[in-house]
Amino acid sequence: MTPFDVFVLTLVAGSVAFSLITLVGFVRLPDVFARAHAASKAETLGALLGLGAAALALDDGQATLKVGVLALFVLVTGPTAAHAIVRAAVRSGEKPWSRTDSSSEKTRASTHTATGGEK
Amino acid sequence: MTSVLLSNGLLVGAAALGLVSIALLWRVVVGPTTADRVIAVNVIGTSVVVIIALLGVALGEVGFLDVALVYGLLNFLLSLGLARLSLDGGETR
């Protein structure tokens, strides 16, 4: 087990960790605008860490360059796609979640106020 | 070629990313709005690109990287197309 192996495996572990953060964000965050944060930031960083590990593990120069192009592509298109989807959601009349809006997320909003009042 | 330990580590990482993607399908199923579903499908596609790249490196198949590149391109086009045609009412602006 060389230090190089340890470094590459650490990058893979970071990729999995940020993908898990994305999963937690998608389960816990209240609406599509908040979930776009998990989709565009945590998932992009997780993908870049994974592709970085792949690029380092390759010993073929051309293939490493190809993974670099792929990473650049993911870096550009991930947040762009999330932005386009959220923009279309706004245009189609979606309203952002707020703590005072009790129409759709009533239970979650009330628990937030309850825990805030105990402090 | 890469060492056996490194290949196994990359395979385990790809498997973990696959499990996370399967768990994200829950949001595609229950997501209250269409935008939730589209954005979850986009995230799953991004992690599938990473899975294909990791598998290509771990199995020594450099051709998988081309597959990952085309998959990422199609994933981006799918998200833009769904956002324009499904969410935005098919208006071209």
Side-chain angles (χ1 to χ4, degrees):
Chain A
M1 192 175 208
T2 62
F4 176 74
D5 288 356
V6 175
F7 182 62
V8 172
L9 291 180
T10 309
L11 283 183
V12 174
S15 172
V16 174
F18 274 101
S19 296
L20 278 175
I21 290 173
T22 306
L23 179 62
V24 171
F26 263 81
V27 172
R28 289 290 295 161
L29 290 177
D31 71 348
V32 64
F33 305 107
R35 283 180 206 126
H37 287 282
S40 57
K41 292 194 282 257
E43 175 61 21
T44 302
L45 181 55
L48 286 181
L49 288 176
L51 291 175
L56 284 179
L58 283 168
D59 46 9
D60 182 1
Q62 192 188 359
T64 305
L65 185 67
K66 205 174 281 178
V67 176
V69 170
L70 188 56
L72 199 64
F73 185 74
V74 167
L75 176 66
V76 171
T77 59
T80 306
H83 173 79
I85 294 164
V86 168
R87 189 158 159 268
V90 170
R91 283 230 199 97
S92 67
E94 181 106 359
K95 288 277 174 282
W97 175 84
S98 72
R99 194 166 291 185
T100 51
D101 175 28
S102 58
S103 59
S104 59
E105 294 278 340
K106 190 169 186 175
T107 54
R108 191 169 292 180
S110 61
T111 48
H112 271 287
T113 9
T115 50
E118 285 172 4
K119 286 179 185 171
Chain B
M1 221 53 248
T2 56
S3 68
V4 176
L5 173 77
L6 199 52
S7 299
N8 285 336
L10 293 177
L11 284 178
V12 169
L17 286 178
L19 288 179
V20 170
S21 302
I22 290 172
L24 271 172
L25 278 177
W26 176 77
R27 182 51 77 187
V28 181
V29 174
V30 305
T33 65
T34 310
D36 285 310
R37 296 189 171 95
V38 176
I39 210 162
V41 166
N42 183 33
V43 168
I44 291 173
T46 306
S47 60
V48 166
V49 168
V50 180
I51 290 170
I52 294 174
L54 287 178
L55 283 183
V57 175
L59 302 178
E61 301 271 358
V62 183
F64 279 18
L65 298 178
D66 298 326
V67 179
L69 205 52
V70 174
Y71 195 94
L73 199 71
L74 287 176
N75 184 37
F76 180 57
L77 284 180
L78 171 82
S79 299
L80 285 191
L82 280 176
R84 273 298 158 99
L85 300 178
S86 174
L87 289 172
D88 211 0
E91 297 174 52
T92 51
R93 269 181 290 183

